[in-house]
Amino acid sequence: MRFRRPGSNQQDLFSQLDHAKKMAQRTTPLDKLRAVIGFEIFRDRLIELLGYKDRVDKCGNAPFDPVFMFKVVVMQKYYALSEEQTEEQILDRSSFMRFLGVAALFSDLDEALTARGIHGKEGVTVDASFVEVPRQHNGRKTRPS
């Protein structure tokens, strides 16, 4: 029997752009939540609770936007994610990026480049390593006949 191989002559099927378009058409629970709740209503209360108004020290990095961080905490709670898992999922899942408003930045960048007659071509970086693992030399014991 003959099978099609991913990546052989069907590169368009697996291209990141096509995949992103398909995923953007799906409605996720986070999309529904974002549509129902305008998270900006929490901004003043978050600023008050987190003490942003009282921040006098202008040294160091500025804090993240409180509404953005609140959305991150919402995702952590409903998806039961650790901080490390949350960071990984935000980088990996387009639905998380859309919920946080990060995906829109990439769309804005693409539009800005196109308006200036520049076509951004995506590349692929491959970084793989193979490590030999220790082999277990314990075989099955043969039974006496």
Side-chain angles (χ1 to χ4, degrees), residues 22-33 35 95 98:
K22 287 178 186 175
M23 292 306 294
Q25 292 171 350
R26 293 180 143 191
T27 303
T28 67
L30 289 175
D31 292 326
K32 292 175 185 175
L33 181 62
S95 60
R98 271 197 318 268

Side-chain angles (χ1 to χ4, degrees), residues 135-139:
R135 294 190 181 122
Q136 191 173 30
H137 295 288
N138 300 341

Side-chain angles (χ1 to χ4, degrees), residues 20 43 48 57 63 65 67 116 142:
R43 180 172 297 282
E48 180 185 326
D57 182 15
D65 179 77
V67 175
R116 289 165 179 79
T142 55

Side-chain angles (χ1 to χ4, degrees), residues 9-67:
N9 62 357
Q10 298 179 350
Q11 299 227 339
D12 289 340
L13 177 62
F14 292 102
S15 75
Q16 190 171 358
L17 184 58
D18 288 342
H19 178 72
K21 286 179 184 175
K22 287 178 186 175
M23 292 306 294
Q25 292 171 350
R26 293 180 143 191
T27 303
T28 67
L30 289 175
D31 292 326
K32 292 175 185 175
L33 181 62
R34 189 179 48 156
V36 173
I37 297 189
F39 280 86
E40 285 298 319
I41 63 172
F42 300 106
R43 180 172 297 282
D44 292 337
R45 184 75 173 125
L46 287 166
I47 288 173
E48 180 185 326
L49 286 171
L50 297 173
Y52 281 21
K53 285 183 179 177
D54 303 328
R55 186 168 184 248
V56 206
D57 182 15
K58 301 294 182 194
C59 298
N61 292 333
F64 279 103
D65 179 77
V67 175

